[in-house]
Amino acid sequence: MAFSFTLEAQDSATEARAGRFTTAHGEVLTPVFLPVGTAGSVKTLTPDDVRAAGARILLANTYHLSLRPGAETVRRLGGLHRFMGWDGAILTDSGGFQVMSLSPLRRVNDGGVEFRSHLDGSKHLLTPERAIEIQDALDTDIAMSLDQLVEVPSTPEEIRESVDRTLTWAARGLAARGRLREEGRGAMALFGINQGSADPAERRRCFQGLGPLPFDGFALGGLWVGEGRTLGIEMVEHDCRMFPKERPRYLMGVGHPVDVIESIARGIDLFDCVLPTRNARRGTVFTATGRLVVKNAAYAYDERPLDPDCDCYTCRTFTRAYMRHLFSVGELLAMRLASLHAVHHMLRLVQRARAAIVEGGFARFRTDVLERFRSGDTLAPTGP
Amino acid sequence: MAFSFTLEAQDSATEARAGRFTTAHGEVLTPVFLPVGTAGSVKTLTPDDVRAAGARILLANTYHLSLRPGAETVRRLGGLHRFMGWDGAILTDSGGFQVMSLSPLRRVNDGGVEFRSHLDGSKHLLTPERAIEIQDALDTDIAMSLDQLVEVPSTPEEIRESVDRTLTWAARGLAARGRLREEGRGAMALFGINQGSADPAERRRCFQGLGPLPFDGFALGGLWVGEGRTLGIEMVEHDCRMFPKERPRYLMGVGHPVDVIESIARGIDLFDCVLPTRNARRGTVFTATGRLVVKNAAYAYDERPLDPDCDCYTCRTFTRAYMRHLFSVGELLAMRLASLHAVHHMLRLVQRARAAIVEGGFARFRTDVLERFRSGDTLAPTGP
């Protein structure tokens, strides 16, 4: 089934929008948060858990899967959906971000990125064409075009160069998918990634090249990498003004509840982030009223759930006292139960945002959610 | 509700028997295998998982829980059932075994065991009375009397001394429960533990003292600690001949499928063991046809489930190739999925044994299960 995106509602007071897209693995309502299944599992959770939490689309990492078990292995085993037992949609990244953040040694030139695996030092070459081939082998529903990132801060020349390269690579990625389609493969959607760091002029120049290309959606790259929330949100606003209304907009790697709400208000449709689940595995979870460090000894007698506003299995079943105990003794169940809450919490947040947009009450919803998140209510420990 | 045990069927060809016992937290059919929830969780699994696998009773460790979070903390939080969200029955051990195996420093005298915590070196005293008080604070359904273990090998004097002490401590534990009952507490059942290492005469002498005491059941202690399977099974046969038919018989710390079947054949009703789940977390699981080391690279393309004979969630959903991948990349989900299979497999084994006893076909069942377990069928990897 061909990828298609439909806008269903547009908030009148903000740029927030509700939509849906269809993939060969089902329909996805937007705004949406993608739990991250880095190496073919959303850490500690089963596909059933993730589906029960409301997820209909996951992100998987091309870098990790192409190193282990290898894209060809996944293809031979029937593709990533079958391999990991997930029948919903999958979006894969291009691998570029992980190459830059994880590989101990890499060299970028016009051809692509040569890098060494962070696992065994083996040498690999990631080109725009190879990124597409790998993602096709994984049988993804939505692939991302290989882009070039720059660090923060970077010089204007570095930013300019990365924009130029991102544009060349975008065209090469599309061409690669075109060739796959001639062979009856490459059915996946393909999103282009806008770059230009936190420089509005460069982001504009990048999108002038990217916008006319036949991408199925557009992503905002190079943000939330150290430039700060205010500047990040400004860039979101800036990019969303340029992006066409009729294509989905994906803010990569952003998952703090405040950032998600503020970015939805500016017109973002998709988010993914490891932050909520990574924090959860370390004993800290987002709740409706803020960040709860449940592993703290202060919660040893607190009989409330992690988040009294939440109806996930963890919050319906266990106390903070028990969760604190599990973290304190190093039980793996702690990470699993906290991760379940984390995924559920993010999905409920975007679902509620969507409902508010559809009902015309998003502005009020946004104020209420942000006020409550900043309130810290229910976070003070109870007990002796 | 008072503890009661009913025998329902006795195999004609072996000593195998089917029964049931009632507790304040439900009824349990025997023979039964108890998953181990050491520190208040069956590692990686939720109470729902364990119940769905068929468990109606768990074991929890007095030693671990009394150190963290502390028996008084558990009591204040409503007891262990409420604390860990488990509404089935709970059996606790006396703590004696872990003191001997985990504590870096301990001194045993007639009063009890002085030991240092393996966590922080703090000093503790475990007496027969304290063992009962702790288990009562945990709100257990079945408590174990404090016994004294000896190592293998031990001298005849050491074995004799441990039997003497075990008998004195047994009477003191019963008296301690009696005093609790006068205060309206101590509702739990209490099992006595037979000792005497692998010396039949000493085990007999121990039970001559233990048997007349008003214990609700009897356990076989000091076995499977290095004496070897043949001798262990001999001692099981020996003890079961002495034990009264109308009380449940508990073989502590035994969980290899072959040992379980052979011990059921000799009249054992209860088993517990960390072996199946500990192995599982390390990438090895028992299947109907033997031990599968699924983490081995040889299974990288094997699309069969861990155990083609098994109907657990893991086996219904995932391939060996996927499981091997998860272990290979260190995903926590691997441990969870393998643990789920492990618990399910043991519970199905005892359930099937029970059905065979009730239907009068246990001898045939035993032969079939052992032959199939030793066959190694389906263990050879498939794929390129």
Side-chain angles (χ1 to χ4, degrees):
Chain A
M1 184 188 296
F3 180 86
S4 74
F5 176 70
T6 319
L7 260 189
E8 295 197 335
Q10 170 71 54
D11 184 51
S12 55
T14 71
E15 293 301 312
R17 46 206 234 142
R20 69 178 67 216
F21 58 83
T22 54
T23 73
H25 293 89
E27 195 169 66
V28 176
L29 304 181
T30 62
V32 69
F33 176 81
L34 285 64
V36 180
T38 301
S41 100
V42 177
K43 294 190 188 307
T44 78
L45 302 181
T46 63
D48 278 15
D49 291 336
V50 179
R51 177 167 282 276
R56 295 295 176 266
I57 182 167
L58 299 181
L59 179 138
N61 288 118
T62 289
Y63 174 84
H64 291 85
L65 289 167
S66 66
L67 293 180
R68 292 189 304 191
E72 280 311 305
T73 300
V74 174
R75 190 186 59 70
R76 197 185 307 182
L77 291 166
L80 188 54
H81 299 85
R82 181 163 156 200
F83 183 56
M84 67 182 287
W86 170 251
D87 61 2
I90 293 176
L91 181 151
T92 44
D93 60 10
S94 68
F97 184 82
Q98 272 72 30
V99 166
M100 300 309 277
S101 55
L102 293 178
S103 168
L105 265 179
R106 69 261 173 187
R107 204 169 54 202
V108 188
N109 59 34
D110 289 342
V113 194
E114 245 185 51
F115 68 96
R116 287 191 182 274
S117 157
H118 72 293
L119 298 167
D120 61 4
S122 57
K123 216 188 230 177
H124 301 266
L125 176 65
L126 186 64
T127 64
E129 292 79 11
R130 181 77 191 127
I132 297 298
E133 282 153 20
I134 292 173
Q135 293 176 84
D136 187 60
L138 295 175
D139 192 28
T140 192
D141 296 293
I142 304 177
M144 301 301 296
S145 181
L146 184 65
D147 56 339
Q148 191 194 340
L149 305 168
V150 290
E151 286 170 2
V152 169
S154 285
T155 65
E157 294 72 40
E158 285 168 335
I159 296 174
R160 219 160 31 234
E161 188 185 90
S162 90
V163 166
D164 290 343
R165 218 162 247 160
T166 293
L167 288 173
T168 316
W169 290 1
R172 283 168 56 189
L174 276 166
R177 186 182 61 165
R179 285 190 296 276
L180 284 178
R181 286 189 168 176
E182 284 165 20
E183 297 167 19
R185 295 159 64 199
M188 64 209 181
L190 182 58
F191 283 20
I193 304 178
N194 202 40
Q195 285 292 351
S197 193
D199 178 338
E202 280 301 309
R203 294 193 78 87
R204 170 161 302 277
R205 186 171 73 85
C206 192
F207 198 71
Q208 280 165 351
L210 213 57
L213 299 180
F215 283 113
D216 301 292
F218 293 103
L220 293 79
L223 300 177
W224 269 259
V225 289
E227 78 281 5
R229 171 176 288 169
T230 311
L231 203 51
I233 294 282
E234 262 178 47
M235 294 304 109
V236 168
E237 200 166 307
H238 173 272
D239 278 17
C240 283
R241 283 208 189 109
M242 303 185 296
F243 282 14
K245 288 212 179 302
E246 67 281 6
R247 309 259 177 89
R249 301 154 174 180
Y250 170 26
L251 180 56
M252 296 189 296
V254 173
H256 188 289
V258 170
D259 296 331
V260 166
I261 293 296
E262 290 296 4
S263 299
I264 288 175
R266 285 159 177 86
I268 296 293
D269 305 303
L270 288 83
F271 302 87
D272 80 279
C273 195
V274 295
L275 178 77
T277 42
R278 181 177 289 164
N279 280 351
R281 293 197 304 279
R282 295 172 181 171
T284 298
V285 291
F286 291 127
T287 73
T289 60
R291 206 164 143 274
L292 177 76
V293 188
V294 71
K295 71 175 173 187
N296 278 355
Y299 294 108
Y301 296 100
D302 195 327
E303 297 200 62
R304 293 170 298 179
L306 292 181
D307 184 352
D309 286 14
C310 180
D311 63 350
C312 78
Y313 172 72
T314 302
C315 289
R316 281 186 285 112
T317 314
F318 303 102
T319 61
R320 292 177 184 177
Y322 182 63
M323 293 298 295
R324 186 265 160 185
H325 165 69
L326 293 182
F327 276 111
S328 151
V329 301
E331 284 287 335
L332 295 173
L333 184 59
M335 296 199 253
R336 170 179 166 190
L337 293 177
S339 297
L340 193 67
H341 166 75
V343 167
H344 190 95
H345 177 256
M346 292 308 299
L347 284 161
R348 284 285 291 143
L349 185 68
V350 294
Q351 283 162 2
R352 288 165 59 222
R354 186 179 202 278
I357 296 165
V358 170
E359 292 158 14
F362 178 76
R364 175 61 185 271
F365 168 83
R366 170 191 185 184
T367 308
D368 289 350
V369 164
L370 295 179
E371 270 181 16
R372 188 152 170 74
F373 188 79
R374 285 162 179 150
S375 72
D377 281 357
T378 84
L379 294 186
T382 63
Chain B
M1 182 189 295
F3 180 86
S4 74
F5 176 71
T6 318
L7 260 188
E8 296 199 332
Q10 170 70 55
D11 185 51
S12 55
T14 71
E15 293 300 313
R17 47 205 233 141
R20 69 178 68 215
F21 58 83
T22 54
T23 73
H25 292 90
E27 193 169 69
V28 176
L29 303 181
T30 63
V32 68
F33 176 80
L34 285 65
V36 180
T38 301
S41 100
V42 178
K43 294 192 188 306
T44 78
L45 303 181
T46 64
D48 279 17
D49 291 337
V50 179
R51 177 167 283 278
R56 295 295 176 267
I57 182 168
L58 299 182
L59 179 137
N61 287 118
T62 290
Y63 174 84
H64 291 86
L65 288 167
S66 66
L67 293 179
R68 291 188 307 191
E72 281 311 305
T73 300
V74 174
R75 191 187 58 71
R76 197 185 307 183
L77 291 166
L80 188 53
H81 299 83
R82 182 162 156 202
F83 183 56
M84 66 181 288
W86 169 251
D87 61 2
I90 294 176
L91 181 152
T92 45
D93 59 11
S94 68
F97 183 82
Q98 273 73 30
V99 166
M100 301 308 279
S101 55
L102 293 177
S103 167
L105 264 178
R106 70 262 173 183
R107 205 169 54 203
V108 188
N109 59 35
D110 289 345
V113 195
E114 246 185 50
F115 68 96
R116 288 191 182 276
S117 156
H118 72 292
L119 299 166
D120 60 5
S122 57
K123 217 188 228 173
H124 301 264
L125 176 65
L126 186 64
T127 65
E129 292 79 11
R130 182 76 193 125
I132 296 298
E133 283 153 20
I134 292 172
Q135 293 177 82
D136 187 59
L138 295 175
D139 192 27
T140 191
D141 296 294
I142 303 177
M144 301 301 295
S145 181
L146 185 64
D147 55 339
Q148 192 195 334
L149 306 168
V150 290
E151 288 172 357
V152 168
S154 286
T155 66
E157 295 71 39
E158 285 167 336
I159 296 174
R160 215 156 39 228
E161 188 186 88
S162 90
V163 166
D164 291 342
R165 220 163 245 158
T166 293
L167 288 172
T168 316
W169 290 1
R172 283 168 57 189
L174 276 166
R177 185 181 62 165
R179 285 189 298 277
L180 283 178
R181 287 191 168 177
E182 285 165 19
E183 299 167 17
R185 294 156 64 199
M188 64 211 183
L190 182 58
F191 283 20
I193 303 177
N194 203 40
Q195 285 291 352
S197 193
D199 178 338
E202 280 301 309
R203 295 193 77 87
R204 170 162 301 278
R205 186 172 73 86
C206 192
F207 198 72
Q208 281 166 350
L210 213 58
L213 299 180
F215 283 112
D216 302 292
F218 293 102
L220 293 79
L223 300 177
W224 269 259
V225 289
E227 77 281 5
R229 170 176 288 170
T230 309
L231 205 49
I233 294 283
E234 261 177 48
M235 294 304 109
V236 167
E237 200 166 308
H238 174 271
D239 278 17
C240 284
R241 283 206 190 112
M242 302 186 295
F243 284 12
K245 288 214 180 300
E246 66 280 9
R247 310 262 175 88
R249 301 156 174 179
Y250 170 26
L251 180 56
M252 297 190 296
V254 173
H256 188 288
V258 172
D259 296 331
V260 166
I261 293 297
E262 290 296 5
S263 299
I264 288 175
R266 284 157 178 89
I268 296 292
D269 305 303
L270 288 83
F271 302 87
D272 81 279
C273 194
V274 295
L275 178 77
T277 42
R278 181 177 288 163
N279 280 351
R281 293 197 304 279
R282 295 172 181 172
T284 297
V285 291
F286 291 127
T287 73
T289 59
R291 206 164 145 274
L292 176 76
V293 188
V294 71
K295 70 175 175 186
N296 278 356
Y299 295 107
Y301 296 98
D302 194 327
E303 297 200 62
R304 292 171 298 177
L306 291 181
D307 183 352
D309 285 15
C310 180
D311 63 349
C312 78
Y313 171 72
T314 302
C315 290
R316 280 185 284 114
T317 315
F318 303 102
T319 61
R320 293 177 184 176
Y322 183 63
M323 294 297 296
R324 185 263 159 186
H325 165 68
L326 292 182
F327 276 110
S328 150
V329 301
E331 284 288 334
L332 295 173
L333 184 60
M335 295 199 256
R336 170 179 166 189
L337 294 176
S339 297
L340 193 68
H341 166 75
V343 166
H344 190 95
H345 177 255
M346 291 309 299
L347 284 161
R348 285 285 292 141
L349 184 67
V350 293
Q351 284 163 2
R352 287 166 57 221
R354 188 180 200 278
I357 296 166
V358 170
E359 292 158 14
F362 177 77
R364 176 61 184 272
F365 168 83
R366 171 191 182 183
T367 308
D368 288 352
V369 165
L370 295 179
E371 268 182 14
R372 187 150 171 75
F373 188 81
R374 286 164 180 149
S375 72
D377 279 359
T378 83
L379 295 185
T382 63

